[in-house]
Amino acid sequence: MKFPAIIVHVLFAGAGATSARSGGLGKRRMADKAGKQNKPDPQGGFNTSPVPIAGTDNSVRLLKREGLIDAIPNSLCENLRGGTNPPGGKNVILVIGDGMGWEMIRAGAVAKQVVAELQEMGVDISTGASGALAAQAKAAFAGRTLSNYYTAGKGSGLSFQELSDFHVVTTSIPFIGEPTKGNHYGPARSFIGDVDKHENGMGELILGANGKPLVFDPRDIMKGGNMVLWDDARGGTHPWDANYFLEMNQYPTDTKFDPEFILQHAIDSANSASSYANGHKTGVNMMGVDLYERPLRSILQDAMACDKSGGVMTSVPILHATPGAFITHTNFRNSKHQLQDGYRETKPTFALGTCAGSYQPSDDMKQAMEAGGYLSSEFTFLHQDAAVLAEDFFKPLENLDPDDGKKVLACFGGKYSSNGNDNLPFRGLDGGYTERWCSKGIINKDEDDVPIGVTPNSTICDHWPKEELKNIPKMHENTKAALDFLGKDDDGFFLMIEQGDIDWAAHANHMDDLLGAMFDIDEVVQEVRDWIAANGGYEKNALYVTADHDHYLTLLPHFPEAVAKLIIDGKAKDITPKNNSNVNAWSTAVGAGRHEDDNRTSPRFLHLYYSISTHNFVFKYQLVNFFRKVAHYFGPRGSGGNGWGSHSSRPVVIYSEGDEGCLEALVGKGYRVLGTEVAGSPGKIDQVHVNACMMKQLFAL
């Protein structure tokens, strides 16, 4: 197998730092299967100019440029007053599965169908089957493979796969300065410097070697530019490219294909959600600001400015990366006060999620929403309470109407739960919310304090206290409450719904949690579809279901049979192996400096890579049995089954209905970043195009 590329780092010191380099990626290596080294164009580099800002763009201008609207209205709200297309525009509902790449969707779709078939046969999904029933069920699934379901394209099995339209979406990102250690995420850097070193805009512009400010270059980083663009040759034309599913002894059909290409320079949820929220590209860790850290108004804020309602709901903290990108403006996703200031300024009509850590409205604002507080006449504040059952949680909303200026904040977890959870309750493959593997591992170190392996230390546990589950509505019930409330607005609404646990599960290489989260988003979208059917259909509503980024998951052909067998044996939770450690092999290896080890035969390098991936160096020779049981692995083939645990740069997919052909018209089209044209990817759209089409439907453009 191939190991991560070796790079040399020269990081900016922080805000106001001056770069001593003239551009490009330096000597970042990415070898292809032919053994060649692909290096940045030596002539490339950052363009410099005495005028650092070449211009800007927005989704309305993109729509006009591509011929999707005839003219730009004088006001975004103009077509809402007097009515066309239909009067007032459509309600727009965006559902984001955080980390829900194409393979995650297929895992959920196949598992759902397996569960349904077993239930029809009389198998108890929680406890399994025995005797003749078990034998019958196992015989029915013997030899069942992914080919019996689907191996490419739109697929079927989940509620959103029944929507009319389907497209592939690139998650390309800007790249400013030097790469991160190990090349994984794109650099968290704007044209003002490292974003964790200062607040919005508080720094000097980065200067080039000629003393002039750096200017955005729309070319790919391999040509000296500032974009990480998708490469069909190296990553495949689609997320289901056959080269991702080769056996260990097979080689790619295209010598340029590199299974580790998608490990490089990944997007994060903050800048990804920002593209959906405002139609602009920005850097890793940045939310609602451009590459110069200037605030950008989101589609939710635009909706509220035109007298519509705007809402977010999520299974994770309310101001976490994805929901926060629609509400806040911060150059750094962990800046607590910038996040809370953003909520205070936006005051979304509806916000629901966990209120934990830094990613929540401030305590003083929540206190002001309580009875007698200065916000109590505007806000209804709901929070998890042992005295309030789930079925009664939303009763205070029954007589509330956003047309009367009423708003809602609903909090779960955090200080409102006995264990301070960051997420709504996880469920697993068996549909239950209790008794799952809590994957943990102890990192082993040598005498020099260098990590050399992991000892698994997993136990059976409950994600949430059992006694609190009765107080927490299911995610689809939260969805219904949000739609029923926002749907009262006569001017319409925008709502973003996030199933964020898919990402958290994939970071942990936890297939059991991941499948439960996929069942959640399936129910959420079905709830939305039912509401749309009862409220004007797709003539009055537009629905988009997508992801912010991919994770590197691969299902093996016998995945359906493996899932069925575990359920029949009453061991559904073991779809996540007991020896899964929830230790990120890649980041641990980078922390140990292995990304700088150019010796491919170094015992310490190999030992670390394999032992962190499989918990035992010898275990790499037993991978056939390991994969045979769970029929999936994370990371590139040969990395040990849980050798990744993080984002990839592979394109995601989007399912939609009510879009009226807008996305289809933008397939292969480019877009502008700071006024400069970025090339599109053949056969695909980009995330910024999704924002443009949502704007078109919401504002009747």
Side-chain angles (χ1 to χ4, degrees), residues 255-304:
T255 57
K256 293 182 180 179
F257 184 86
D258 182 354
E260 293 185 1
F261 172 65
I262 64 173
L263 305 182
Q264 312 273 348
H265 313 306
I267 199 167
D268 86 321
S269 293
N271 63 331
S272 176
S274 290
S275 292
Y276 289 132
N278 55 55
H280 292 259
K281 292 292 186 181
T282 195
V284 167
N285 282 348
M286 300 169 70
M287 302 158 59
V289 295
D290 69 9
L291 288 167
Y292 289 97
E293 303 180 8
R294 298 171 299 182
L296 299 165
R297 200 157 70 176
S298 74
I299 187 172
L300 180 149
Q301 293 164 330
D302 282 334
M304 295 181 67

Side-chain angles (χ1 to χ4, degrees), residues 118-135:
L118 288 172
Q119 288 176 322
E120 288 177 3
M121 297 175 69
V123 175
D124 187 308
I125 303 303
S126 299
T127 60
S130 60
L133 177 58

Side-chain angles (χ1 to χ4, degrees), residues 52-80:
I53 301 173
T56 189
D57 196 28
N58 62 31
S59 288
V60 180
R61 283 197 281 277
L62 185 153
L63 292 169
K64 173 65 168 58
R65 193 165 59 247
E66 298 298 343
L68 286 165
I69 60 175
D70 294 328
I72 297 176
N74 294 326
S75 164
L76 190 59
C77 312
E78 180 177 296
N79 291 346
L80 307 181

Side-chain angles (χ1 to χ4, degrees), residues 3 594 600-611 617:
F3 290 90
R594 293 301 187 264
R600 296 296 193 259
T601 62
S602 165
R604 285 176 53 146
F605 179 76
L606 291 171
H607 186 205
L608 178 77
Y609 195 90
Y610 280 108
S611 63
F617 186 49

Side-chain angles (χ1 to χ4, degrees), residues 624-652:
V624 173
N625 292 332
F626 173 76
F627 291 152
R628 189 71 207 165
K629 181 178 180 181
V630 299
H632 71 272
Y633 58 91
F634 290 88
R637 60 194 177 103
S639 64
N642 61 347
W644 186 234
S646 199
H647 302 185
S648 89
S649 60
R650 184 162 49 185
V652 297

Side-chain angles (χ1 to χ4, degrees), residues 232-252:
D232 281 351
R234 300 172 71 188
T237 56
H238 298 96
W240 52 88
D241 190 288
N243 287 307
Y244 287 112
F245 305 99
L246 300 175
E247 297 294 335
M248 288 293 294
N249 59 348
Q250 293 179 311
Y251 291 94

Side-chain angles (χ1 to χ4, degrees), residues 310-314 316-319 323 327 340 343-344 347-356 359-370 375-376 378-384 393-394 396-397 400 405-412 415-416 482 485-486:
V312 298
M313 61 158 284
T314 179
V316 301
I318 289 174
L319 297 180
I327 298 172
Q340 294 180 340
Y343 180 86
R344 182 179 289 107
K347 293 200 292 187
T349 315
F350 184 94
L352 178 150
T354 63
C355 289
Y359 306 106
Q360 59 173 311
S362 64
D363 286 340
D364 64 323
M365 192 168 185
K366 286 183 286 187
Q367 290 169 5
M369 298 177 189
E370 300 277 13
L375 291 175
S376 59
E378 180 181 9
F379 277 88
T380 294
F381 177 39
L382 307 176
H383 61 79
Q384 180 183 338
F393 187 82
F394 292 110
L397 306 191
L400 294 182
K406 301 301 183 182
K407 298 180 179 180
V408 174
L409 172 64
C411 288
F412 300 95
K415 70 178 183 181
Y416 306 106
F485 174 68
L486 295 172

